[in-house]
Amino acid sequence: MKTVGLVGARGHTGRELIALLSRRSGLGLVFASSRAMAGETVTSLAPEAPRELRFEALGPQEVAGKGADAVILALPNGEAAPYVEAIERTAPQTVIVDLSADFRFDGTWVYGLPEIYGRERLAGATRIANPGCYATAGQLAVAPLRDRLRGPVHLFGVSGYSGAGTTPTRRNDTKLLEDNLMPYALAGHLHEREMARHLEIDVRFSPHVAQFFRGLLVTAQLEFCEALTLEAFEAAYREAYEGEPLIGFVQGRPAEIADGANANGAAIGGWTLSEDGRRGAVVCALDNLLKGAAVQAIQNLALALGLEEFEALA
Ligand SMILES: NC(=O)C1=CN([C@@H]2O[C@H](COP(=O)(O)OP(=O)(O)OC[C@H]3O[C@@H](n4cnc5c(N)ncnc54)[C@H](OP(=O)(O)O)[C@@H]3O)[C@@H](O)[C@H]2O)C=CC1
Ligand SMILES: CC(=O)N[C@@H](CCC(=O)OP(=O)(O)O)C(=O)O
C-alpha cells in the first residue's frame, strides 16, 4: 500500500480525489488538509473516506513531515511552491502531483497527459504537473492532427462553474450564471499558453462558463496543410487513441456536455469538413473534475508508483 496525502482536500477536485483514492487497492489516503474543515471527519465531506481520518490544517512543513509516499496538491494556482519546497527539503523522494498550473511550464516537472505524451517519463517520476481541464480537452481534440495543421487552431470552450473552484468569483456565481453564458479571458488564457507550449502549435482559445455544475467541451476549428477526406480525419483520432480506455468516440454527432459530465474519460466526435477538405472541426467533451483533473492525477500517480493505471477508472 502506498500512502497518499491530499492538500486542499475540501475543494471540488479534492472531493473527487478522495472518492477515487477510496477505490484504489494500492493507494491509501493518510492525511487530508483543509483550513476551513480542520477537525471535522473527512467522511463528513466524502463518505468514501477512511472513517478515522479528520481534516487537518497543515502547513507546508507539517505536510512534508508526514512522510507519505505521495502528496497530491489540489490548491488554487499560486499556492503550491511552499509545499514543494518543504518536501524538497524534508522528503525529496515523495511523489508530488500538482493539480495547479504552477509547474506546467517547468521543464523539470513531467507534464502528465498520458494518452498524448506517453507513459515513459511518468514511470518513477516524483514531480508531476497535472494538466488543466480545458487544456486536457483541447489537446486531446488537436493532438492527432498537430503535424498537419496550417495556422493557429481556434478552440471554443464551455465549462460548468465547478471549474472556477470554491473560492467565490463571478465565474462560479450561480446567480450571475442563471440563463447566462459568460465569456472570459478571451486572449492569453493560461490554458491557451499551456496547450500552445505542449502541443508546440499556435492556439487561440475562447473560454466560457455556464450555469451547470460540471462538465466541459472544447470545439476545435483546424486548418490543414493538405485537404483531408472525412474518413482520414476521423481515422487519425481512432488510430491516435487506439487502445486508450479513457478515450471514447461519439458517432454521428458532435460530443456534447452530457457525454463527458460525470464520466472518467473523454468523448470525441463531430468530425466535420469544409467543402474543400482544407478545414475541419471536432469536439472533445470531458468532466473538468475527473479526466480534467482528479482522474488524470490518479492515472499519473499510478504510473509514477508502478501501479495499475486504470484500476476502478475504465
Ligand atoms: N475545478 C476544476 O475543474 C479544475 C481545477 N484545477 C486546478 O486544481 C486546483 C484545485 O482546484 P479546485 O479543487 O477547484 O479548487 P478549490 O478552490 O475548490 O479548492 C482548493 C482548496 O484549497 C484550500 N486553499 C485555498 N487557498 C489555500 C492556501 N493559501 N493554503 C492552503 N490551502 C488553501 C481551500 O480549502 P481550505 O480553505 O479549507 O483550506 C480550497 O477548498 C486549482 O489549482 C485548479 O486551478 C485543475 C483542473 C480542473
Ligand atoms: C470556469 C473556470 O474558471 N475554469 C477555470 C479552469 C481552471 C482549471 O482547469 O485549472 P487550472 O487553472 O489549474 O488550469 C479557468 O478557466 O481558469
Side-chain angles (χ1 to χ4, degrees):
M1 174 73 75
K2 296 292 185 183
T3 56
V4 182
L6 179 55
V7 182
R10 169 178 70 87
H12 293 318
T13 57
R15 168 77 188 81
E16 301 295 336
L17 281 160
I18 294 168
L20 290 171
L21 286 166
S22 73
R23 297 200 281 273
R24 299 284 314 208
S25 55
L27 294 171
L29 183 64
V30 291
F31 68 82
S33 91
S34 162
R35 299 160 310 170
M37 296 185 75
E40 296 182 45
T41 60
V42 183
T43 50
S44 65
L45 175 80
E48 314 89 344
R51 307 197 63 72
E52 74 287 355
L53 222 48
R54 288 186 181 273
F55 286 108
E56 300 171 81
L58 298 171
Q61 203 47 54
E62 295 163 300
V63 166
K66 286 278 188 177
D69 295 312
V71 170
I72 301 177
L73 301 176
L75 298 166
N77 290 337
E79 302 296 347
Y83 293 84
V84 173
E85 285 151 19
I87 290 169
E88 294 280 1
R89 280 194 309 274
T90 311
Q93 75 289 351
T94 307
V95 176
I96 303 174
V97 179
D98 180 19
L99 268 71
S100 84
D102 295 359
F103 294 94
R104 291 181 198 152
F105 300 84
D106 180 333
T108 66
W109 283 57
V110 179
Y111 184 71
L113 213 175
E115 289 87 355
I116 297 178
Y117 301 110
R119 293 165 165 93
E120 299 68 37
R121 287 190 69 210
L122 284 161
T126 58
R127 301 290 177 267
I128 301 167
N130 220 56
C133 50
Y134 280 126
T136 298
Q139 292 178 88
L140 288 172
V142 175
L145 286 174
R146 64 176 156 167
D147 297 330
R148 291 191 254 178
L149 299 175
R150 174 200 301 273
V153 297
H154 294 265
L155 305 177
F156 174 92
V158 181
S159 162
Y161 65 82
S162 62
T166 52
T167 306
T169 76
R170 286 194 91 242
R171 300 202 306 265
N172 55 27
D173 181 329
T174 51
K175 279 276 164 282
L176 288 178
L177 288 168
E178 199 167 344
D179 301 329
N180 196 5
L181 181 66
M182 199 181 283
Y184 64 95
L186 296 176
H189 185 284
L190 185 146
H191 291 178
E192 180 175 274
R193 291 179 281 119
E194 179 179 339
M195 292 185 274
R197 173 192 169 100
H198 292 286
L199 284 175
E200 297 178 305
I201 60 171
D202 200 0
V203 176
R204 304 281 186 276
F205 176 46
S206 307
H208 301 68
V209 61
Q211 69 183 86
F212 53 88
F213 179 67
R214 65 192 301 165
L216 72 76
L217 68 77
V218 170
T219 298
Q221 291 285 353
L222 313 171
E223 189 167 344
F224 309 128
C225 296
E226 291 174 13
L228 285 180
T229 63
L230 195 55
E231 294 69 30
F233 188 16
E234 183 172 340
Y237 289 76
R238 294 184 180 280
E239 285 158 23
Y241 301 129
E242 187 175 1
E244 286 295 354
L246 294 184
I247 310 298
F249 300 108
V250 177
Q251 205 51 52
R253 62 170 172 81
E256 299 169 355
I257 290 289
D259 296 312
N262 292 296
N264 283 334
I268 298 175
W271 295 274
T272 309
L273 282 181
S274 58
E275 264 192 36
D276 64 2
R278 296 297 297 265
R279 280 192 316 108
V282 64
V283 183
C284 178
L286 52 78
D287 189 302
N288 53 296
L289 299 177
L290 294 174
K291 181 55 182 168
V295 163
Q296 193 138 257
I298 296 295
Q299 283 179 264
N300 290 327
L301 182 57
L303 287 164
L305 294 170
L307 301 173
E308 207 286 316
E309 181 183 352
F310 297 109
E311 181 188 357
L313 289 180

